Amino acid sequence: MKLKRVGILTGGGDCSGLNAVIRAVTRTASICYGAEVIGIQDGYDGLIFNRCQELNNTVTRDILPLGGTILGATNKGDPFEYREYDSDGKIVIKDYSQKALENFRQLKLDCLFSVGGEGTLEIAHNFQKMGMPVVGIPKTIDNDLEGTDYCFGYQTAVQVACDALDRLQTTGRSHDRVMILEVMGRTAGWIAMEAGISGSAHIILIPEIPYHMDKVLEKIQLREAGGSPYSVIVVAEGATEHGGAEITTEQAESRLQGVAQLGGVGNYLAHSLGEKIDLEVRCTVLGHLQRGGTPNSFDRVLGTRLGTFAVHAAAEGKFGNMVALKTPDIVLIPLEDLAGAVRNIPLDAQIIRSAESIGICLGR
Ligand code: F6P
């Protein structure tokens, strides 16, 4: 089909590499197809409330190394179940999907490139079913999307966490302390696992393997007895204690977002360990440092490849798909095959075996 005018939005939390995608989509659409590109602002909010901007090669010229997204993003704006406050300050849920579809049509777009994680892609799929031609582009630092080997943003986040562990190692060793690093990832342990291996953590705790406190203690004490009275632990925010609480949350449910905000397991662990050992225990919560800032080269290249392939797929009329990395190729995966599935680290994954083979304790 002849692409004349396409739209792009970035939904969910930001991450490094989003601007690489925006730039690649803009350049490919204009250079290869002479198409106009409209940037929809603040995720699906821009489509509901008509906030958009024209994108071209000049606007996107210097954005490749920039963190975040020049279009803005939100993880509160599902047009099918839009949460907002009424005049009494109560949360009401509205369906704005028809309004968003009408705005899409008024913008005379041939296709919408929807860049985001599981939630954003599920919404894209729902719009596709209503007749909006969409192509999904997978993004999340959590790396927990089915169908793609890696999401852009993930490798940068792992590098940030690895650098943090390198720094914590030195303080741990200098002061004979147990240093805990809490990393993001929601219910998947990918960031913790890869950052932990690359940052020489002695203990890695992931949501996929509920940890036993006595195993964590045993490892710390073994190290101490062996002449290393310090340990470095990386714990995923979604990790849980065997037989303990479901998941640790800072806030049970952020009001407009409608989902629990994870966090706190690092401090919980520090407190529990501190009561049982003589060594000092400290916790660092890495938080949004993992999401912001300049993308590494891997994420710039992956974002660029996914963005260009998405435009070529649209030009061939292959809507209703997500572009995905199946090393070494970029392929198309039907959005309906994803259906909100989350990819965890399989318990028989080689990476788990590798970690334990070099003596890392996974709390079991
Ligand atoms: O999904 C990406 C992510 O960074 C998670 O790892 C984390 O739990 C969540 O988003 C944090 O979201 P927010 O920025 O809304 O607190």
Side-chain angles (χ1 to χ4, degrees):
M1 82 178 274
K2 171 93 183 95
L3 285 185
K4 290 202 233 31
R5 207 167 139 87
V6 298
I8 175 168
L9 64 78
T10 52
D14 69 344
C15 76
S16 300
L18 281 166
N19 287 323
V21 177
I22 296 169
R23 175 178 175 267
V25 164
T26 303
R27 292 184 69 83
T28 308
S30 71
I31 294 171
C32 301
Y33 302 101
E36 284 178 281
V37 184
I38 301 299
I40 315 284
Q41 292 168 348
D42 307 323
Y44 292 103
D45 271 19
L47 208 53
I48 300 170
F49 303 113
N50 252 329
R51 293 199 299 268
C52 54
Q53 67 189 85
E54 204 177 302
L55 296 175
N56 54 42
N57 295 348
T58 311
V59 175
T60 59
R61 181 175 288 149
D62 297 319
I63 67 172
L64 185 58
L66 266 191
T69 159
I70 61 162
L71 293 176
T74 174
N75 43 14
K76 307 181 192 52
D78 177 350
F80 293 86
E81 286 181 24
Y82 198 88
R83 296 162 77 93
E84 58 188 3
Y85 291 109
D86 67 9
S87 51
D88 298 330
K90 277 207 227 89
I91 291 192
V92 286
I93 300 179
K94 292 196 181 149
D95 183 354
Y96 282 125
S97 56
Q98 201 55 43
K99 187 166 181 233
L101 183 64
E102 276 158 28
N103 285 336
F104 171 85
R105 290 190 174 137
Q106 272 193 353
L107 283 167
K108 299 198 181 321
L109 298 176
D110 299 317
C111 166
L112 178 69
F113 298 105
S114 199
V115 190
E118 167 219 342
T120 305
L121 296 174
E122 202 172 348
I123 296 167
H125 182 223
N126 289 335
F127 276 128
Q128 172 77 32
K129 287 191 279 190
M130 287 172 76
M132 184 190 295
V134 302
V135 176
I137 303 179
K139 165 244 66 162
T140 168
I141 64 162
D142 305 338
N143 204 39
D144 62 353
L145 277 179
E146 277 295 351
T148 185
D149 291 351
Y150 287 105
C151 299
F152 65 86
Y154 168 69
Q155 297 284 358
T156 303
V158 169
Q159 189 61 56
V160 170
C162 168
D163 292 346
L165 286 170
D166 286 348
R167 288 167 192 275
L168 293 176
Q169 291 277 358
T170 57
T171 302
R173 209 177 298 127
S174 306
H175 289 269
D176 292 348
R177 283 180 180 164
V178 174
M179 305 299 284
I180 299 173
L181 180 71
E182 180 185 303
V183 297
M184 284 185 166
R186 289 201 72 82
T187 56
W190 295 105
I191 299 179
M193 181 56 78
E194 293 207 344
I197 291 175
S198 58
S200 315
H202 309 108
I203 299 166
I204 302 175
L205 305 177
I206 56 174
E208 292 82 351
I209 303 176
Y211 63 87
H212 293 255
M213 197 66 89
D214 54 340
K215 293 289 171 192
V216 176
L217 269 174
E218 197 178 292
K219 176 71 180 176
I220 295 170
Q221 283 159 349
L222 208 65
R223 285 182 48 73
E224 203 179 353
S228 302
Y230 76 98
S231 289
V232 173
I233 305 177
V234 55
V235 57
E237 63 181 1
T240 57
E241 186 179 353
H242 186 263
E246 277 280 286
I247 224 160
T248 319
T249 53
E250 295 283 357
Q251 231 183 318
E253 187 175 289
S254 114
R255 291 201 74 206
L256 279 180
Q257 214 167 311
V259 293
Q261 193 183 325
L262 302 193
V265 64
N267 280 312
Y268 166 75
L269 199 59
H271 185 74
S272 306
L273 289 174
E275 285 183 336
K276 296 183 178 75
I277 51 175
D278 288 336
L279 298 173
E280 281 184 66
V281 188
R282 292 285 197 277
C283 170
T284 301
V285 179
L286 200 50
H288 292 83
L289 292 177
Q290 295 154 96
R291 288 233 307 253
T294 190
N296 68 8
S297 59
F298 181 92
D299 285 335
R300 294 184 202 194
V301 173
L302 180 57
T304 301
R305 291 185 66 198
L306 292 171
T308 55
F309 199 88
V311 177
H312 294 313
E316 289 166 25
K318 293 178 176 162
F319 303 116
N321 289 298
M322 173 185 91
V323 288
L325 176 67
K326 277 272 169 237
T327 309
D329 297 318
I330 304 292
V331 299
L332 291 175
I333 309 277
L335 283 171
E336 67 183 350
D337 289 358
L338 304 174
V342 169
R343 183 184 58 168
N344 287 98
I345 306 181
L347 288 179
D348 59 353
Q350 285 184 353
I351 195 159
I352 288 186
R353 191 160 182 216
S354 292
E356 290 185 319
S357 301
I358 59 167
I360 295 173
C361 164
L362 300 184
R364 64 177 177 178

